[in-house]
Amino acid sequence: MTAPAAAAETEGDLIVRREGAAGIIRLNRPKAINAMTYEMSLGIDAALDRFETDPAVAVVILEGAGERGLCAGGDIRGLYESSKAGGDLGKMFWRQEYVMNARIAKYPKPYIAFMDGLVMGGGVGLSGHARHRVVTEKTKLAMPEVGLGFFPDVGGTWLLTRIPGEIGTFFGLTGQAMNGPDAIFARFADAVVPSTKLPALREALTAVRPRATSAEVDKVIAGFATGESAGPIAAQQASIDRWFAHDRMQDVFASLSRDDSEFAQSTLKMLNEKSPRGMVVTLKLLRLARNAVSLEQCLVREYRAALEVFRSDDFREGVRAAVIDKDRNPRWSPARIEDVTPEMLAPYFREIGADELVF
């Protein structure tokens, strides 16, 4: 959504200001669909510090500049270049980002995310842990990291395992996008608001009383919401639960292969395009996350795995094929699920000593 003009106190890739009772955090890289850089992450943290202690700020609103989306994820190109050069941007960026994701989940003031348009990867980390998550008819929410030789991070393994049945396993492994009502059903969002009503909702939120409660904010949002609570994916739950109920990727593939329905075969096609190693790592992280007692516990595991991914050929190859050369023809290593060995997996789940993520 394009927000109304006002004098900005901080310009550049991030705009931070107060409008009435609302602290505004606007991601401001519209040409890159607001992909988040390390510096933007630091700026968001600083904004959260400022708004938390400002008595004039009752709520915080996260939004994206332009018409295309809230956030297309992290700055993948920068991470790719650092990985190629043996740099440490991944280590710095993900540490900062994951700690901030946990902070958002516990933020003491109502934090409202406008998830209009594209919301992917790191954008889910900024919005999916919010207390109030607003989607629209334009929302396309996805965690497509397995297609980059990666896995759903930014607390994605926590969010994906809070969903009924195997819907989260399906979304995490296929990278399939959710529409707004899908996101409600999958517990990634709380209310569908027509995009044409977002400016009026935004104005109403800037006018809430000081120290407004979450219940009061919910009431404001409900006044603009459609009430939708389930999208197309809900009708497929029984099939998805059957196909993805397994703990080994080989068994997921076998289950899908035995079903000649159009949906099963299209799902199989999506999986066949993904990184075999990425899928196996993702499935294991998702199964471990089911027994996690906190978001932080999942983020610690994700950070360990992310550092290993950053060193991997599959990550560089996935980004090359999708973002750099754009040939959409990654050469995964190994190329087959059956060739992903326990020895390959072990480093992704190993404790990392002094580099562990600490909250």
Side-chain angles (χ1 to χ4, degrees), residues 67-187:
E67 303 293 338
R68 297 166 69 193
L70 170 65
C71 178
D75 182 17
I76 291 294
R77 188 179 288 268
L79 289 165
Y80 168 83
E81 295 296 345
S82 181
S83 177
K84 272 184 67 178
D88 61 358
L89 180 59
K91 185 176 182 178
M92 294 166 52
F93 179 74
W94 288 318
R95 179 179 292 276
Q96 161 63 27
E97 185 179 28
Y98 294 2
V99 171
M100 182 176 63
N101 297 149
R103 179 183 188 181
I104 288 169
K106 293 182 174 178
Y107 200 64
K109 293 182 178 181
Y111 175 107
I112 305 138
F114 282 3
M115 303 163 75
D116 191 32
L118 200 65
V119 185
M120 297 172 67
V124 176
L126 292 174
S127 57
H129 304 297
R131 202 177 308 175
H132 308 276
R133 303 165 298 178
V134 176
V135 288
T136 75
E137 78 285 355
K138 296 179 181 178
T139 297
K140 289 189 190 320
L141 189 155
M143 303 207 76
E145 291 84 353
V146 180
L148 299 175
F150 200 41
F151 60 87
D153 67 328
V154 295
T157 60
W158 171 260
L159 292 170
L160 289 164
T161 49
R162 283 15 303 150
I163 305 173
E166 299 293 343
I167 294 288
T169 314
F170 167 80
F171 280 126
L173 288 170
T174 64
Q176 176 77 15
M178 311 175 199
N179 66 11
D182 278 337
I184 302 289
F185 181 73
R187 301 182 184 174

Side-chain angles (χ1 to χ4, degrees), residues 201-221:
L201 170 58
R202 188 182 187 281
E203 186 176 355
L205 289 168
T206 66
V208 298
R209 73 174 185 87
R211 294 181 295 281
T213 66
S214 281
E216 289 172 302
V217 171
D218 279 335
K219 188 173 181 180
V220 172
I221 294 171

Side-chain angles (χ1 to χ4, degrees), residues 286-305:
L286 290 173
R287 294 303 185 244
L288 289 169
R290 280 188 169 165
N291 297 317
V293 297
S294 67
L295 167 62
E296 288 84 351
Q297 189 176 6
C298 289
L299 287 164
V300 166
R301 285 201 196 101
E302 290 174 12
Y303 189 66
R304 293 170 183 169

